[in-house]
Amino acid sequence: MNEPVPVGRSVDHGFAKLMPDVDRARAWLLTVDGAPQSYVDLDEPAHLEFEYTRRLGHVLDVVAEPGRVLDVVHLGGGALTLPRYVAVTRPGSRQDVVEADRGLLELVSGHLPLPQGANIALHTADARAWLENAPAASADVLLADVFSGSRVPAHLTSVDYVRAAARVLRGSGVYLANLPDSAPFVFLRSQLATLATAFEELVLIAEPGVLRGRRFGNAVLVAGHQAIDVAALARLTAADVFPARVEHGAGLREFIGDARAVRDADAVPSPEPPDGAFGIG
């Protein structure tokens, strides 16, 4: 049997590479310009390798009773890790993936086939433009994991963007975002303040070392109109192989402090990661 070999290709926004994992027979790491973007195990789509994807997976597990079918919109495609996760943990769910990089979508879908029968529609479009034209109240979950290079684009950080996201969600819907930052958390705090302009319930999940200001890292933000099962989420994240803290309520309001919501005119991308923050090898 032939051993899998790396596949590299110039895509719309960089050079993408799919590299096989020597420890798992049909698992692949996707990098763009050398930075890890996604990890997929085709034999075990429910396996989530990266810390932040595991936390997003925990949220997806608690937003509704196990196995319940959901309508999910993913902003940012990568290797379609979380769409595959939803397809096997919540069979029958309808999913839309919005990815601006057509070349990346073609590379991933061509080399890493989606699960048989998965109801996943792929769209090449700008995330905000797609949201502004999507039907209102059409999604149960909206998951944002959009990066231009190593930074979240500025136009996906403002009040107008958040309003577009809230419009697409149903009343019981949940918004999730993967955002990078480090102390003093100017970007992260501003994003929480921005989400608070459209959602009543906010939750922050992050590795304790990141929250203590020891390193640059990813945080997962969760927002909705209805109470989120914080207790169940805290149990899952605390028991994870990569334990994380869940902040909400008074503690989260204290974290946000006097941060202001971001307007389009003032929006900036997420901070540039320090050298080596997300690199490999």
Side-chain angles (χ1 to χ4, degrees):
M1 188 172 72
N2 293 331
E3 292 291 327
V5 296
V7 178
R9 180 185 302 172
S10 291
V11 293
D12 298 4
H13 300 123
F15 187 83
K17 194 171 184 179
L18 289 169
M19 294 184 289
D21 185 341
V22 297
D23 296 320
R24 300 175 75 98
R26 297 180 69 227
W28 296 82
L29 172 69
L30 169 68
T31 66
V32 177
D33 291 336
Q37 298 289 325
S38 303
Y39 180 100
V40 167
D41 187 333
L42 298 180
D43 289 332
E44 194 179 346
H47 172 75
L48 301 177
E49 182 78 8
F50 292 173
E51 294 180 33
Y52 83 89
T53 58
R54 295 173 71 87
R55 288 162 197 156
L56 290 166
H58 293 323
V59 180
L60 290 167
D61 290 344
V62 305
V63 293
E65 57 270 22
R68 181 183 142 197
V69 171
L70 297 174
D71 292 331
V72 184
V73 173
H74 303 261
L75 304 180
L80 309 176
T81 303
L82 287 164
R84 300 170 199 269
Y85 180 82
V86 172
V88 297
T89 59
R90 297 182 179 276
S93 293
R94 179 181 62 84
Q95 301 188 76
D96 290 287
V97 178
V98 183
E99 169 58 58
D101 193 321
R102 181 183 297 275
L104 182 62
L105 267 187
E106 291 174 350
L107 173 67
V108 168
S109 59
H111 288 272
L112 307 179
L114 289 166
Q116 193 72 26
N119 188 9
I120 301 173
L122 306 179
H123 310 272
T124 302
D126 172 79
R128 180 161 161 180
W130 192 91
L131 282 181
E132 289 170 346
N133 290 287
S138 58
D140 299 304
V141 177
L142 175 55
L143 195 159
D145 187 16
V146 184
F147 285 79
S148 177
S150 56
R151 307 176 75 181
V152 177
H155 72 298
L156 304 183
T157 68
S158 70
V159 169
D160 286 343
Y161 160 74
V162 167
R163 287 174 179 164
R167 186 188 67 83
V168 172
L169 282 169
R170 298 182 175 121
S172 60
V174 179
Y175 176 85
L176 291 73
N178 171 41
L179 299 176
D181 203 2
S182 61
F185 304 111
V186 173
F187 178 74
L188 191 56
R189 291 169 60 238
S190 74
Q191 288 307 287
L192 285 160
T194 303
L195 285 169
T197 64
F199 298 101
E200 294 77 28
E201 298 290 331
L202 297 175
V203 174
L204 166 66
I205 310 168
E207 194 267 325
V210 172
L211 290 178
R212 293 188 188 113
R214 293 177 180 168
R215 67 178 181 89
F216 189 96
N218 294 89
V220 168
L221 305 190
V222 188
H225 297 299
Q226 299 182 6
I228 295 153
D229 192 342
V230 173
L233 195 53
R235 286 193 297 271
L236 287 172
T237 56
D240 196 274
V241 65
F242 304 112
R245 271 172 48 193
V246 176
E247 296 286 349
H248 71 292
L252 190 54
R253 287 192 293 273
E254 182 179 347
F255 178 84
I256 297 169
D258 60 358
R260 295 183 178 181
V262 177
R263 306 291 167 178
D264 271 341
D266 306 316
V268 296
S270 63
E272 187 79 46
D275 289 344
F278 300 127
I280 57 169

